[in-house]
Amino acid sequence: MATTNRRLDEPSALPESTPNPIPSSSPAFATPAHPILPRRTAPIPAPPALKAAPPKPTILPILLPPATLRPLAFRTFTKKHNLTLTSSALQALATFIGRHCGSGWREEGLAERVLEEVAKSWKKGGGQVIVDGDGAALKAILKAIEGSMSGGRIVQSSHSALSRQGSLVFGPDVNVEDSAATRPPLGHNESFGISRLEVEDPQEEEEAYKDARDWIQVVGAFEQPRLVYSVNKKHFEKSTSTPSLFPQPSHKTDLFRHHFHIVHQRILRNDTFQAPSFSANRSASLARTSSLSTSQTTTITPIANLLGRTGSTHLLLGLLTVSPTGTLALSDLTGSIALDLQHARPIPEDGTYFAPGMIVLVDGTYEEDYSNPTSNSALGNTGGIGGNIGGKFIGFSVGHPPCERRSTTLGSTSDQDANQASTTTGPAFGWTDFLGLGSERATGARMSRLANRLLPTTSTHNIAIASDLHLDVPSTLSSLRTLLKTYTPHPTDTHPNYPLAIVLMGNFSSRASLAGVPGAGSIEYKEHFDALAAVLAEFPELIAHTTLVLVPGDNDAWPSAFSAGASAPLPRKAVPTIFTSRIRRVVAEANREIWGTGGAKTGEKWKEGKRKEGEVVWTTNPSRLSWFGVKGEMVLFRDDVLGRLSRTAIRFGNAKEQEEQVASPTAEPGEDDTQPMDLDPPILRDQLEPLDPDTLTARALTRTLLSQSHLSPFPLSTRPLHWDYASALSLYPLPSALVVADKEAPAFVVKYSGCTVMNPGPISEEVGRGRGHGKARWVEFDVGSGRGLARNEG
């Protein structure tokens, strides 16, 4: 023990700063006499892949209020990229910039670069014009940018894996899989501009799509997006309410208010109603006529602003109604006023219809009624939204709102030409997806490229439309055979040209079905469609290469069961499948016979590969038939519109020939060459030959529907509608073609403002006993050229 104590008291051979390499775990173990010196070796250098990344510059986060960032965000998103930020998106951007850019967001320009990259990424991702911060799209963009920021700046690298996400290039430290997982797929995006027809690679689409029928889609009335025009944002928004067949009473008012907003904003976009860039006083010496009268005829006055302005001339825009006393009245969102149209003249003369329920322009003078003390110049509570205005408005001229072409609404230069590339010009709703198939700016260029390839100009690409297919009348089936034989190619044809679609519109029964009428029960109704299936089975080659679209009428199930053939509420659902099973089996059998189980029919002219098989679509009334997304759209509508217009239209007195024409914004002298019907040549009126009554009726019906931008411009008491689904009857933007199957109107094909309006008329026309049997009448529309043609074969 002494030796042990002595050795512990001796000084150590190692320096005091050097720790003992073999420490004792207990005092019983002594320190060795010659301790082991530590071995000093050079450190092994780390491989380049394991080197520590240089420290990132430290950014002190700040709390950036959204109001402070608003001017810079407005300049970047709205002025430069034509995007609109919501409050939630502005809050998300302010939080992101304050956290990652710090106090240098303004002085060093860090925030502007981040906003620029976010805007480019949003547009390249196909986002809508309104940037919403609650969706997953903006969150995915911010998460991708967050991984590429260093010191408040976006680091650019050549090892980018997310370059398709936006305009910025991310570094290798970004997790590509996580960003792709959080990024919402294009097919499920809530944006107005994303299309279900979107394809990824142009080379893949060249191989995958060989038939134009692959891009034809039927959209029912209950499937269309419900869009509401926002007056504050000047843009269409998706309705947040859940549609119902039994909605709240307030939705009835919203129906007319939404229609008025659409027509009003359309008028304000017209050049005639644009405010001058300089005052009227300065331009008085430059104009030959009075600038005051010019400004009055092109400025719409709200009805409430007529108070205290008796004897002055104004131009009013409002809903034409019938007051409880039986007189005509005009209502807008500010009030109502009585109308006096004794000396008014319609514009154009005998060229359109004016009925209650339409939105019209009235030019005239306001007069107060001083004789009636109860009817003074004050807003009351007896009618209208703002109340009635005392006095009356004496109208001089009445006209429909000017129409707007489809290309102007969507902001594209291609109107009907499928071979012309689609570009956007001017302020328009190019980012709005009206049918849920893609917007003009998101998919217009790609759809134009596909249309140029699949719709060559060397051949026609027709859609045949026939209406009033009364299956209980034998002559109708004979006329249908004539139609199908016309489009069935000869066996020796090496390049047959089948129609893209054959549209058959009701009524499919001459009497109201399921309404207690003898011989028109459910069994007989199903036998009628079985007879139609037997006729279709005679043409398997045609049925296997086209698309059959069937639209019901008022006499078809189920609405006729309780309406007895009267006007049922629109839109109307398709014919139930319980009556259509035989037709579906006939189409399936034709596909098996022509195409077989192995694809194309071998040994004949189908060796190049299998194309799209034939199909049958039972759709609603009305419905939309679209080709190549926004490239073309046809509205299919079965209703007796002309008879309803003739019963409810206002009758005007005959205008004197020597009366000077009253200036009207709907009939400008220089506008006749561009806005009226394309069938009218730009020559003098006295050089025109007298037109037959059928042509005048067709033009009046066309002008009325397209100017009103609605398929049913009537009060709900005259034509009932489902309030929550009334947007499906809107004609804004104008379609490429409109089919109004009206048995009371003459068969016609008219083009107005770039829209081809057609009425096929009844398919069967019996001329005496035994004569005209098998004679068919229908119309066909060429989707490539946008032209319609009335056919009468027999």
Side-chain angles (χ1 to χ4, degrees):
M1 294 296 295
T3 306
T4 302
N5 294 335
R6 181 177 56 81
R7 289 184 177 180
L8 289 174
D9 296 338
E10 292 179 356
S12 176
L14 295 175
E16 296 181 359
S17 60
T18 304
N20 191 354
I22 307 178
S24 299
S25 60
S26 174
F29 296 90
T31 304
H34 303 284
I36 302 175
L37 297 178
R39 185 177 182 182
R40 300 180 179 179
T41 57
I44 301 176
L50 301 179
K51 286 185 178 180
K56 296 183 179 180
T58 303
I59 295 295
L60 182 62
I62 63 173
L63 182 61
L64 182 60
T68 308
L69 185 64
R70 186 185 302 275
L72 182 59
F74 176 81
R75 184 167 61 251
T76 303
F77 278 81
T78 305
K79 293 293 186 181
K80 189 173 182 180
H81 294 280
N82 295 326
L83 298 175
T84 303
L85 282 175
T86 61
S87 57
S88 59
L90 184 62
Q91 177 66 40
L93 291 174
T95 304
F96 181 85
I97 293 175
R99 181 183 305 171
H100 297 88
C101 297
S103 58
W105 69 274
R106 186 197 299 271
E107 290 79 5
E108 302 179 14
L110 304 179
E112 186 175 0
R113 300 175 185 175
V114 173
L115 294 175
E116 180 73 18
E117 298 300 338
V118 171
K120 291 181 180 179
S121 301
W122 178 270
K123 295 182 68 174
K124 285 199 173 183
Q128 59 176 344
V129 70
I130 300 178
V131 182
D132 189 8
D134 297 332
L138 182 61
K139 297 179 181 179
I141 293 175
L142 294 180
K143 185 175 181 181
I145 295 178
E146 182 181 0
S148 65
M149 294 191 66
S150 176
R153 292 176 171 83
I154 299 175
V155 179
Q156 307 250 346
S157 174
S158 59
H159 304 282
S160 172
L162 296 179
S163 58
R164 296 181 63 184
Q165 170 69 20
S167 61
L168 46 97
V169 184
F170 303 105
D173 55 344
V174 182
N175 192 345
V176 180
E177 297 180 357
D178 293 345
S179 300
T182 57
R183 187 167 60 250
L186 294 180
H188 301 279
N189 199 307
E190 297 296 333
S191 167
F192 290 169
I194 298 301
S195 170
R196 294 198 299 254
L197 302 177
E198 192 81 22
V199 289
E200 293 296 334
D201 191 359
Q203 299 297 332
E204 296 180 1
E205 67 190 19
E206 293 287 339
E207 301 294 335
Y209 303 100
K210 298 181 179 180
D211 195 347
R213 291 179 53 239
D214 293 327
W215 298 99
I216 291 183
Q217 187 167 354
V218 180
V219 182
F222 299 94
E223 303 172 359
Q224 299 180 23
R226 299 172 56 246
L227 304 180
V228 178
Y229 182 76
S230 176
V231 181
N232 298 328
K233 298 180 180 179
K234 301 290 189 293
H235 189 74
F236 285 91
E237 296 179 342
K238 286 187 177 180
S239 178
T240 56
S241 62
T242 302
S244 172
L245 296 179
F246 302 96
Q248 299 179 1
S250 60
H251 293 192
K252 179 180 179 181
T253 308
D254 295 339
L255 186 153
F256 295 98
R257 181 184 290 111
H258 175 57
H259 185 201
F260 183 84
H261 285 326
I262 290 180
V263 176
H264 187 226
Q265 65 87 22
R266 190 190 72 190
I267 291 178
L268 297 182
R269 287 159 51 90
N270 191 279
D271 295 338
T272 308
F273 295 87
Q274 295 292 329
S277 58
F278 46 87
S279 63
N281 295 331
R282 296 179 56 184
S283 62
S285 59
L286 301 178
R288 294 183 179 181
T289 60
S290 175
S291 61
L292 182 60
S293 62
T294 304
S295 62
Q296 288 181 350
T297 56
T298 57
T299 302
I300 298 176
T301 304
I303 293 180
N305 292 2
L306 296 177
L307 293 175
R309 306 175 69 178
T310 179
S312 57
T313 303
H314 302 276
L315 179 66
L316 304 183
L317 174 69
L319 181 69
L320 194 62
T321 60
V322 178
S323 63
T325 59
T327 60
L328 288 176
L330 194 68
S331 302
D332 64 2
L333 300 181
T334 62
S336 302
I337 189 172
L339 273 181
D340 184 1
L341 300 180
Q342 294 182 2
H343 307 284
R345 58 179 291 267
I347 297 177
E349 293 282 352
D350 298 331
T352 185
Y353 295 94
F354 295 92
M358 298 182 181
I359 298 177
V360 297
L361 286 165
V362 183
D363 188 12
T365 303
Y366 170 64
E367 288 188 2
E368 294 186 2
D369 188 5
Y370 296 101
S371 60
N372 189 0
T374 61
S375 178
N376 52 8
S377 298
L379 284 175
N381 56 358
T382 58
I385 298 178
N388 285 340
I389 294 182
K392 61 181 178 179
F393 191 80
I394 303 176
F396 300 149
S397 59
V398 182
H400 283 287
C403 204
E404 184 179 81
R405 291 179 173 267
R406 177 180 179 89
S407 58
T408 305
T409 306
L410 300 180
S412 62
T413 56
S414 61
D415 200 350
Q416 286 287 334
D417 190 4
N419 300 320
Q420 182 180 358
S422 178
T423 58
T424 56
T425 57
F429 302 105
W431 284 107
T432 305
D433 187 1
F434 290 95
L435 287 184
L437 302 177
S439 63
E440 173 65 29
R441 295 197 176 186
T443 62
R446 182 168 297 170
M447 293 300 105
S448 298
R449 183 172 62 252
L450 284 171
N452 295 338
R453 183 175 61 88
L454 299 179
L455 298 178
T457 57
T458 56
S459 60
T460 59
H461 310 275
N462 296 325
I463 297 178
I465 307 105
S467 65
D468 286 287
L469 200 72
H470 296 166
L471 302 178
D472 55 343
V473 179
S475 61
T476 301
L477 299 178
S478 301
S479 301
L480 179 61
R481 287 190 179 92
T482 303
L483 186 151
L484 298 177
K485 288 180 182 179
T486 304
Y487 295 102
T488 301
H490 195 269
T492 59
D493 293 343
T494 57
H495 299 283
N497 187 15
Y498 295 99
L500 299 178
I502 298 178
V503 181
L504 303 178
M505 308 181 69
N507 297 310
F508 295 109
S509 177
S510 59
R511 295 175 294 177
S513 304
L514 313 177
V517 181
S522 60
I523 298 178
E524 292 82 3
Y525 189 67
K526 189 176 188 306
E527 290 177 351
H528 298 336
F529 285 103
D530 293 344
L532 175 61
V535 175
L536 296 177
E538 301 175 7
F539 306 91
E541 189 83 10
L542 175 63
I543 301 304
H545 292 86
T546 188
T547 300
L548 295 176
V549 182
L550 292 95
V551 181
D554 293 330
N555 292 343
D556 296 312
W558 297 107
S560 61
F562 58 87
S563 64
S567 297
L570 291 175
R572 187 178 301 113
K573 290 188 176 181
V575 177
T577 56
I578 188 176
F579 303 107
T580 62
S581 58
R582 182 69 62 85
I583 297 180
R584 299 179 188 274
R585 289 198 297 266
V586 167
V587 175
E589 182 64 27
N591 291 330
R592 286 192 296 267
E593 179 182 351
I594 300 302
W595 300 113
T597 58
K601 188 176 181 180
T602 59
E604 294 186 5
K605 51 182 174 292
W606 307 112
K607 295 181 180 181
E608 68 272 11
K610 180 179 179 180
R611 297 179 181 269
K612 186 176 182 179
E613 297 179 347
E615 61 178 351
V616 56
V617 179
W618 298 84
T619 184
T620 61
N621 182 29
S623 62
R624 315 266 173 154
L625 192 148
S626 173
W627 54 90
F628 296 96
V630 295
K631 194 63 181 176
E633 172 189 347
M634 175 183 292
V635 178
L636 305 174
F637 184 47
R638 170 64 186 93
D639 192 24
D640 297 331
V641 184
L642 182 62
R644 193 171 293 106
L645 285 174
S646 301
R647 293 189 300 268
T648 60
I650 300 174
R651 301 295 188 267
F652 293 91
N654 295 329
K656 297 181 180 180
E657 297 181 358
Q658 66 272 15
E659 182 181 359
E660 296 181 358
Q661 294 184 355
V662 181
S664 173
T666 59
E668 290 292 331
E671 193 180 356
D672 291 341
D673 298 343
T674 57
Q675 290 296 337
M677 296 190 178
D678 298 340
L679 297 180
D680 293 342
I683 58 179
L684 299 178
R685 295 178 180 267
D686 53 0
Q687 297 179 2
L688 288 174
E689 298 180 359
L691 299 177
D692 58 291
D694 291 345
T695 303
L696 295 177
T697 301
R699 295 188 174 190
L701 179 62
T702 299
R703 282 193 179 100
T704 303
L705 294 181
L706 298 189
S707 299
Q708 290 296 315
S709 296
H710 206 273
L711 290 173
S712 180
F714 304 103
L716 295 180
S717 58
T718 304
R719 191 59 169 109
L721 304 176
H722 291 298
W723 302 344
D724 283 357
Y725 296 98
S727 59
L729 279 75
S730 176
L731 293 178
Y732 188 82
L734 281 184
S736 305
L738 169 62
V739 179
V740 182
D742 192 343
K743 64 180 180 181
E744 300 180 5
F748 63 86
V749 176
V750 173
K751 194 170 185 179
Y752 180 59
S753 294
C755 176
T756 304
V757 183
M758 300 169 287
N759 179 29
I763 186 175
S764 177
E765 183 180 2
E766 297 184 2
V767 185
R769 181 179 302 179
R771 298 178 59 187
H773 185 73
K775 192 173 184 179
R777 179 172 56 183
W778 73 94
V779 296
E780 63 182 16
F781 178 78
D782 188 1
V783 300
S785 61
R787 297 178 181 178
L789 177 64
R791 300 289 299 271
N792 197 343
E793 303 290 341

